[in-house]
Amino acid sequence: MTLEYTPDLILSPESGMKTNESILQIGQVSKKSGMSIDTIRYYEKQGLLKKPSRSSGGFRVYPKEAVDQLVFIRKAQALGLTLKEIKKITCCGDKGLEPCCDLTVDLFTAKIGEFEAKINELQGMKKKLKTVLGGWVGKKKK
């Protein structure tokens, strides 16, 4: 067996051997997740993302799972979940699958109810606007 130089290898005394793909700096996490550095820092402060360890130079270093967590947050927001609701899910996930599934079902059920109420409200506003518009259509100059 021979040792060859490979650019994806980092030796770290406190963590043993790690590849560049298993630890990332904040810029790399930002690029891979599509989120800004400020957003990543904000999510850390809010407890949505675990605090990263620091390199000997003081740089934040993240496990590659941080990218997956950020992608999850973005997808959950796209479904209409708030950061507070997302935090509940991620914190519950640490307790096991069953409590997390129960919480997620409850949150999604409540969210569907919120959407249905909003849809009804918007349909009512649409109907009112059509009524108002009907009064103006006949007044257009010919």
Side-chain angles (χ1 to χ4, degrees):
M1 178 161 91
T2 62
L3 279 179
E4 295 180 33
Y5 170 77
T6 56
D8 63 340
L9 189 65
I10 296 174
L11 294 176
S12 169
E14 63 273 358
S15 60
M17 234 186 275
K18 291 192 176 186
T19 65
N20 277 342
E21 293 174 2
S22 65
I23 59 168
L24 305 167
Q25 290 185 356
I26 195 165
Q28 295 168 306
V29 173
S30 173
K31 192 173 188 178
K32 289 180 184 249
S33 68
M35 293 193 178
S36 72
I37 290 172
D38 289 337
T39 299
I40 294 168
R41 289 180 181 148
Y42 178 75
Y43 289 166
E44 285 173 25
K45 289 177 187 171
Q46 297 303 310
L48 288 160
L49 192 61
K50 292 178 182 166
K51 296 273 184 203
S53 56
R54 298 279 181 158
S55 69
S56 58
F59 296 104
R60 289 175 164 90
V61 282
Y62 297 84
K64 65 182 178 180
E65 292 79 21
V67 174
D68 296 333
Q69 290 173 307
L70 291 167
V71 170
F72 170 79
I73 292 168
R74 186 177 55 230
K75 287 180 179 181
Q77 285 181 306
L79 291 172
L81 295 177
T82 65
L83 292 179
K84 185 177 178 180
E85 292 166 333
I86 295 167
K87 185 174 180 181
K88 284 182 186 178
I89 292 171
T90 57
C91 290
C92 186
D94 296 338
K95 297 176 185 172
L97 188 58
E98 188 174 336
C100 183
C101 288
D102 292 343
L103 173 68
T104 304
V105 167
D106 292 345
L107 281 173
F108 282 13
T109 301
K111 191 57 67 178
I112 290 168
E114 290 174 26
F115 288 156
E116 287 172 345
K118 188 68 172 175
I119 289 168
N120 289 335
E121 180 185 336
L122 290 170
Q123 286 174 335
M125 291 172 66
K126 177 182 172 183
K127 188 175 181 179
K128 288 177 187 176
L129 283 172
K130 282 186 172 186
T131 302
V132 170
L133 181 61
W136 286 93
V137 171
K139 296 182 181 189
K140 282 176 110 176
K141 290 187 178 181
K142 297 180 182 180

